[in-house]
Amino acid sequence: MNYFKEAVENVKDNVNASSLHKYMAQLREKKDPEEIVLLQKAMDMTTDGFREMIRELSPGMSEYQAQAIVEYHAKKGGSEYMGYPSICGGGANSCVLHYTYNRKKLDAKELLLVDMGAEYHGYTADITRTLPVDGKFSQEETMIYNLVLAAQNAGIDQCRKGKGFRDAHHAAYEVIGKGLVELGIIKEINEANKYFMHGTSHYLGLDVHDAGTFTALQSGVVMTVEPGIYIAEGSPCDRKWWGIGVRIEDDILVTESAPIIMTAALPRTIHELERLMAEDF
Ligand SMILES: [Mn+2]
């Protein structure tokens, strides 16, 4: 706990809001083993809820009913609260970044974007999956989904000790930029921010957007990797893409060696998701 010693020494001499913020950010950025245990529990409760929701999802269900399935199983597993307002948006709502109204009825041909996290003993998970309501991704949805998945894998690969905090974002952005150019949706890579308009990562812990220094990654850092592509109706591209909003979000532990996907229990590939949706129960 070098940070803690340093924080105590410095705070004794110079207590002010900005130095306290800096030292608290250092303390919270790197998780102790006990914190990682609590985070893993919150994530496991969340993945259990997502798995049940994915199996039960069907046309005619409302957004809030899909949300309720995740929350029920998370709370059944021991979660006291959700860590942040649940985002559960179908069709055009999948393109609305902080959509939490969650009242719409879901149509068969829509995608549903679900961003939810159980909180356990103060620590929160943060997971997003995007699913076809009728259980089968269309051709256009498949192309966008696999592009986001490739971007996420590129981002996760940057979650290594010594890498910059924003390296995951740069890697994901480049994959999405190149892919959108290849699909004819944009002309230049630097236009990708029209459809991927948020950062790829944040720290995760006591807050869903936890405190941290945004400096080089250390082992013990837990962070999200969550690229997305959101093509709202009326976007300047072929209308066959309109209404497709996809985000895939997992929670990553930076270690001394390879990144660990703490939420790997929940399927991410189209093949695995379609298989789970087709399961009888
Ligand atoms: Mn997130």
Side-chain angles (χ1 to χ4, degrees), residues 89-99 111 113 195 197 229-233 235 241-247:
N93 298 334
S94 66
C95 300
V96 180
L97 281 195
H98 296 285
Y99 176 82
L111 286 176
L113 186 155
Y195 301 111
M197 62 294 270
I229 297 175
Y230 315 91
I231 310 177
E233 298 210 358
S235 294
W241 306 110
W242 291 3
I244 298 180
V246 173
R247 177 163 67 252

Side-chain angles (χ1 to χ4, degrees), residues 126 202 209 224 226 249:
D126 186 3
H202 54 78
H209 290 185
T224 65
E226 50 174 311
E249 175 174 31

Side-chain angles (χ1 to χ4, degrees), residues 45 49 61 71 82 117 126 149 159 223:
M45 291 164 196
M61 193 180 267
E71 289 192 9
M82 299 311 286
D126 186 3
L149 185 63
C159 298
M223 62 195 283

